[in-house]
Amino acid sequence: MSRLILFNKPYGVLSQFTPEGRWQGLRDYLALPGVYAAGRLDADSEGLLILTDDGALQSRIADPRHKLPKTYWVQVEGAPTDADLDPLRRGVDLGDFVTRPARARLIDEPAGLWPRNPPIRFRQAIPTSWIELTISEGKNRQVRRMTAKIGFPTLRLIRAAVGEWRLDALQPGEWKESHV
């Protein structure tokens, strides 16, 4: 029976067990031998990280060829309109590649959202907004690059779901076992 772990990765934690420099590793939160991350989240991103002890499942979850949708809550600088999100829905030319069309919609701040430590930069004169963005690929810093390209830099990035698995009520640093 494969193990599948849903972990709410806090800000400042790498998607690997070994810490590096100023970043913590997963071993500071998970004492589970034999499981490995299925995909990555940058240290400055938060949210759902899936771990498993099943190599084939790990590959299926992480490999973009399987097109598992990944849903993010993105706090951006500025106040985009629904029309401002159209380029995300069509695909954005990032120079080195063009993204696949994404699902994008404006949302209120997600209910039950925990405070980030450290907090995002705050500027009195510049509003922030939330976008729910679902992509089926996951190149390095893709979501941040996409929102910057349309003129709304990412301030906070939280992965809320991967395929059928959701963050739900998990708080930063918490994990639970799920089923495949």
Side-chain angles (χ1 to χ4, degrees):
M1 182 79 168
S2 299
R3 290 190 85 182
L4 186 83
I5 307 299
L6 306 181
F7 175 61
N8 186 345
K9 188 190 85 60
Y11 178 89
V13 177
L14 298 170
S15 295
Q16 62 190 37
F17 281 89
T18 309
E20 280 183 21
R22 64 185 179 133
W23 304 118
Q24 291 181 288
L26 296 174
R27 74 174 179 207
D28 294 325
Y29 296 90
L30 297 162
L32 300 171
V35 298
Y36 301 93
R40 303 184 60 80
L41 269 179
D42 294 330
D44 55 355
S45 298
E46 308 164 70
L48 183 61
L49 184 66
I50 298 175
L51 300 99
T52 182
D53 60 358
D54 181 327
L57 179 60
Q58 179 185 23
S59 175
R60 186 172 62 88
I61 293 169
D63 193 323
R65 288 177 299 195
H66 296 291
K67 297 184 173 113
L68 264 185
K70 296 168 185 75
T71 300
Y72 296 87
W73 296 327
V74 190
Q75 187 176 18
V76 296
E77 189 173 271
T81 65
D82 189 60
D84 289 325
L85 304 183
D86 283 342
L88 302 175
R89 297 179 187 120
R90 289 192 304 267
V92 180
D93 186 345
L94 296 177
D96 52 339
F97 75 101
V98 177
T99 66
R100 292 180 185 147
R103 287 196 318 259
R105 66 185 183 106
L106 296 168
I107 60 170
D108 292 330
E109 179 176 307
L113 189 63
W114 57 90
R116 196 186 86 174
N117 185 17
I120 64 160
R121 70 175 184 264
F122 177 73
R123 296 197 228 173
Q124 193 82 28
I126 301 175
T128 68
S129 304
W130 286 90
I131 299 169
E132 183 178 79
L133 186 64
T134 302
I135 61 174
S136 59
E137 54 200 342
K139 300 202 181 353
N140 190 36
R141 303 190 73 75
Q142 179 176 336
V143 170
R144 292 175 189 280
R145 292 176 66 200
M146 289 171 75
T147 65
K149 181 73 176 192
I150 66 164
F152 299 95
T154 294
L155 298 171
R156 188 173 182 191
L157 182 60
I158 301 165
R159 184 160 56 198
V162 175
E164 67 188 71
W165 299 290
R166 302 198 59 77
L167 193 57
D168 293 329
L170 280 178
Q171 294 300 299
E174 292 181 350
W175 63 272
K176 70 178 179 182
E177 199 139 359
S178 187
H179 50 278
V180 180

